[in-house]
Amino acid sequence: WAYYAQHDVTFAAQDTFVYMWGDRMLEMHHCRTCGCFSHFTVIGETDAKSIGVNARLMRGLDPKNVPARINRAAFRRESEDRAGALDDLNRAVETAPADADARRHRAYLLRLLGRADDARIDLDEAARLRPNDPEVWHDRGVLLYGQKKYDEAIADLDRCLKLAPRH
């Protein structure tokens, strides 16, 4: 899923059918032609801060749109398309090498793929780019713990907690 402000999104097809369930606060839109779940909106809002868009249906994704690539990579990773996720994250890092979030997300996927050394390179760079981001230090601590580098892991997790005591 990719999340955008409602005013930033335009859909090629406006003809959808809507399904609602549970507390009936969201409208789940489905294409009338193919039945795909295309997006969801907040009931009663025409300019919501965030709506969800099925990133798998995106065509012509702007290669400079790093957040959209990160979102699509997360969706691909969760649907077991790890090669597609890695491709999106590689392109995000190539497009914006100084984007610490792109590096963090790629490091997470690389760790899942058993490529801890490559993940460490991305997390080291993310830490250099954003030394005051507790998420970076948390992610590094988790990676180092998995590598049985306990002293380094504890140091990184301590730094995370100093930056964000409630983390």
Side-chain angles (χ1 to χ4, degrees):
W1 287 96
Y3 301 94
Y4 300 95
Q6 190 166 354
H7 65 268
D8 289 339
V9 179
T10 318
F11 295 97
Q14 297 296 321
D15 189 22
T16 61
F17 64 90
V18 175
Y19 172 75
M20 293 182 285
W21 61 278
D23 56 11
R24 304 181 70 77
M25 299 201 46
L26 297 177
E27 294 180 337
M28 280 66 139
H29 292 260
H30 298 260
C31 174
R32 287 195 181 275
T33 303
C34 67
C36 286
F37 181 11
S38 60
H39 64 286
F40 65 83
T41 58
V42 179
I43 291 176
E45 293 207 27
T46 57
D47 194 24
K49 284 184 183 179
S50 181
I51 66 168
V53 179
N54 184 342
R56 201 165 214 184
L57 299 177
M58 290 181 178
R59 295 220 194 290
L61 182 66
D62 181 354
K64 294 180 181 144
N65 191 336
V66 172
R69 284 206 178 277
I70 292 170
N71 283 333
R72 188 169 71 177
F75 180 80
R76 285 177 159 176
R77 183 190 71 234
E78 293 302 315
S79 64
E80 301 299 323
D81 178 11
R82 291 183 173 171
L86 185 57
D87 181 59
D88 271 335
L89 293 169
N90 285 339
R91 289 180 186 210
V93 170
E94 289 167 12
T95 301
D99 189 307
D101 285 329
R103 290 186 176 277
R104 279 187 53 241
H105 285 274
R106 185 169 72 174
Y108 176 75
L109 180 59
L110 290 168
R111 183 171 61 87
L112 292 178
L113 294 171
R115 294 174 52 188
D117 291 338
D118 293 330
R120 173 72 187 262
I121 292 167
D122 272 343
L123 289 173
D124 287 348
E125 182 62 12
R128 187 189 69 74
L129 293 165
R130 284 208 319 237
N132 295 320
D133 183 344
E135 296 294 330
V136 171
W137 299 105
H138 172 267
D139 292 354
R140 267 182 38 135
V142 169
L143 176 71
L144 292 166
Y145 178 83
Q147 293 180 303
K148 300 187 185 322
K149 296 178 180 178
Y150 300 120
D151 291 339
E152 288 179 80
I154 290 169
D156 282 358
L157 293 171
D158 282 346
R159 186 161 182 180
C160 169
L161 289 171
K162 284 178 186 166
L163 293 166
R166 294 185 176 165
H167 195 280

